[in-house]
Amino acid sequence: MAVGETRFPAMPAIDGLRLGTAMAGIKTPCRRDLVVVEIPAGARVAGSFTRNAFCAAPVTLAKANLAACRAKGEGPRYLVINTGNANAGTGEVGLRDARATCAELARLAGVNEDGVLPFSTGVIGEPLPMERLLGGLPVALASLGADGEAWHQAGEGILTTDTRPKGASVTLALGERTVTINGISKGSGMIKPNMATMLAFVATDAAIEQELLDSLLRETVDRSFNCITVDGDTSTNDACMLIATGRGATVHGDEEIAVFRNGLQRIMTELAQAIVRDGEGATKFVTLQIEEAASREEALDVAFTVAHSPLVKTALYASDANWGRILAAVGRAPLADFDVSRVAIDLGDVRLVEHGGRATGYTEEDGSRVMGQEEITIRIALGRGEEVATVWTTDLSHDYVSINADYRS
């Protein structure tokens, strides 16, 4: 089940970057579950990782190897991603297995071991099936390609409970030259990033200085992946990587940086929204727009308080115009000196709340009409300032419970 007809786009090659996949049988036979990404020498790489204290072994090692590469003035040469097993909650054994994966890929590819960054997603607390994983590496390397099909297969190879691969692509004009940005993501449940289980891998042929690349990643992640939630759970394995191969136009000067930033934000937002649309058991795609806040932080506090309310989410699933649940969630958001008489709440084109109570002219029929739609916007004006924030979420259905009750089986 997924909301909307999001299709995997045609993707042009990113000069210098290749992707390969294998069916290693890590959890499910006869499906792509191992992905290798080859990065050219001289490329720059930025990363954003989960803040979960139980971060997975591959996250720990990826961060360490990325730092080691930077200390040597180099960039990583390979990413290796497996699905079906998160290699999280596995202690020293998990770190040993992550290192062994990097060492074997490094040996096969002829690069330094710390030039390989590992990523995993899937069941927590189980050891990696190392024989099958390592056996899939030569197959993935042999299949390396740069075209759209390679991107599509990589998008399939990183999925867990997702129902479809997720991708986005844009080509931007920078003066007389162009740059391309491609990205894939995965995530369906355990989605509330704090840097969704989510992984994202975005690449461009642009030439960008490392400091700017790091800054652009932080900025665009904050307004995309950090603004989505399915169930309020931050994964042990979240990561978003941004690769700039440097083979295309150079991004410099305020105007070109602005063009590139806008293009990158579009990619990140599309990938983040695709995760919400494919949320486990989702039947609704919900946009929460918070306006007139005193700060962006309090706007996000209100948005996530509403988005995480089981009562709001189940009302959305039932198409039940029980707007009092939304009002109650707004009222318990952690805001100091909150004057509720200044709050206005709209459900689509219907005014629900104003002046501290039900809006004049509101009817149950109007509320039910909007709640029955597949895509819903809830707009909340706090009357406290000029800051805004947008968060995207889902409803909560019977299928969400079923998927997660059966996940390990």
Side-chain angles (χ1 to χ4, degrees):
M1 185 182 299
V3 182
E5 293 293 328
T6 302
R7 300 188 177 214
F8 198 91
M11 287 194 176
I14 299 293
D15 192 7
L17 194 88
R18 298 195 298 168
L19 309 94
T21 61
M23 298 181 183
I26 292 170
K27 181 184 178 186
T28 305
C30 302
R31 61 151 291 181
R32 291 185 178 87
D33 56 7
L34 186 63
V35 177
V36 169
V37 180
E38 182 183 72
I39 303 169
R44 292 188 168 94
V45 179
S48 182
F49 301 93
T50 182
R51 296 179 186 172
N52 192 306
F54 272 105
C55 69
V59 172
T60 298
L61 189 56
K63 291 166 70 174
N65 285 359
L66 181 59
C69 287
R70 289 197 179 184
K72 295 188 292 185
E74 301 173 354
R77 295 301 309 282
Y78 285 88
L79 310 181
V80 56
I81 309 113
N82 74 269
T83 186
N85 187 308
N87 192 14
T90 47
E92 287 300 317
V93 172
L95 280 170
R96 180 199 67 195
D97 289 344
R99 291 191 186 102
T101 301
C102 293
E104 179 62 8
L105 180 54
R107 185 188 69 82
L108 292 169
V111 300
N112 294 328
E113 184 176 330
D114 59 13
V116 180
L117 307 186
F119 303 86
S120 299
T121 182
V123 175
I124 293 172
E126 297 290 336
L128 282 171
M130 289 302 291
E131 184 176 352
R132 296 198 294 273
L133 192 158
L134 298 181
L137 292 176
V139 178
L141 284 171
S143 73
L144 286 170
D147 61 9
E149 183 61 22
W151 279 95
H152 188 268
Q153 291 179 358
E156 292 179 335
I158 62 175
L159 305 183
T160 49
T161 58
D162 310 61
T163 67
R164 58 195 182 192
K166 302 163 180 61
S169 180
V170 66
T171 297
L172 308 169
L174 295 182
E176 296 181 356
R177 302 186 67 189
T178 62
V179 297
T180 297
I181 310 173
N182 288 348
I184 55 175
S185 66
K186 66 82 50 184
S188 190
M190 199 178 278
I191 300 297
K192 201 279 181 178
N194 191 9
M195 340 185 287
T197 309
M198 70 141 278
L199 296 173
F201 303 97
V202 180
T204 178
D205 55 358
I208 307 176
E209 292 299 322
Q210 187 69 58
E211 185 177 355
L212 177 58
L213 193 72
D214 292 340
S215 175
L216 288 171
L217 178 64
R218 286 193 301 269
E219 180 181 337
T220 56
V221 161
D222 190 49
R223 294 180 180 270
S224 57
F225 296 112
N226 281 349
C227 288
I228 62 173
T229 181
V230 170
D231 45 26
D233 274 306
T234 295
S235 166
T236 54
N237 292 63
D238 294 343
C240 179
M241 305 304 295
L242 177 58
I243 303 162
T245 68
R247 303 289 184 88
T250 300
V251 178
H252 60 76
D254 291 346
E255 185 174 343
E256 290 184 355
I257 291 173
V259 170
F260 186 84
R261 177 188 290 110
N262 290 340
L264 181 61
Q265 187 68 71
R266 172 182 162 184
I267 294 297
M268 297 297 197
T269 301
E270 286 184 16
L271 293 175
Q273 290 184 352
I275 290 173
V276 174
R277 291 181 179 279
D278 198 23
E280 288 173 343
T283 70
K284 305 285 178 68
F285 176 84
V286 183
T287 300
L288 284 157
Q289 295 180 349
I290 313 301
E291 303 170 355
E292 299 178 11
S295 67
R296 176 170 169 78
E297 290 71 23
E298 76 169 28
L300 289 170
D301 284 341
V302 172
F304 282 119
T305 300
V306 176
H308 292 154
S309 166
L311 292 177
V312 172
K313 294 172 85 68
T314 50
L316 288 163
Y317 171 63
S319 300
D320 177 14
N322 191 343
W323 58 268
R325 294 181 174 184
I326 301 173
L327 177 146
V330 173
R332 67 179 172 84
L335 272 62
D337 303 319
F338 193 8
D339 183 354
V340 297
S341 70
R342 303 181 68 179
V343 174
I345 304 175
D346 295 328
L347 179 68
D349 61 353
V350 177
R351 174 60 56 92
L352 299 177
V353 173
E354 59 187 6
H355 308 308
R358 186 173 69 177
T360 303
Y362 170 77
T363 67
E364 191 84 359
E365 181 181 10
D366 285 339
S368 297
R369 169 178 56 81
V370 178
M371 288 291 270
Q373 297 170 2
E374 190 177 51
E375 301 200 17
I376 298 170
T377 297
I378 300 172
R379 186 177 299 103
I380 302 166
L382 301 177
R384 293 165 60 88
E386 299 180 354
E387 293 295 321
V388 300
T390 301
V391 164
W392 300 281
T393 191
T394 65
D395 57 342
L396 180 61
S397 72
H398 300 289
D399 283 347
Y400 177 87
V401 177
S402 298
I403 289 167
N404 284 283
D406 297 338
Y407 183 59
R408 287 174 56 86
S409 59

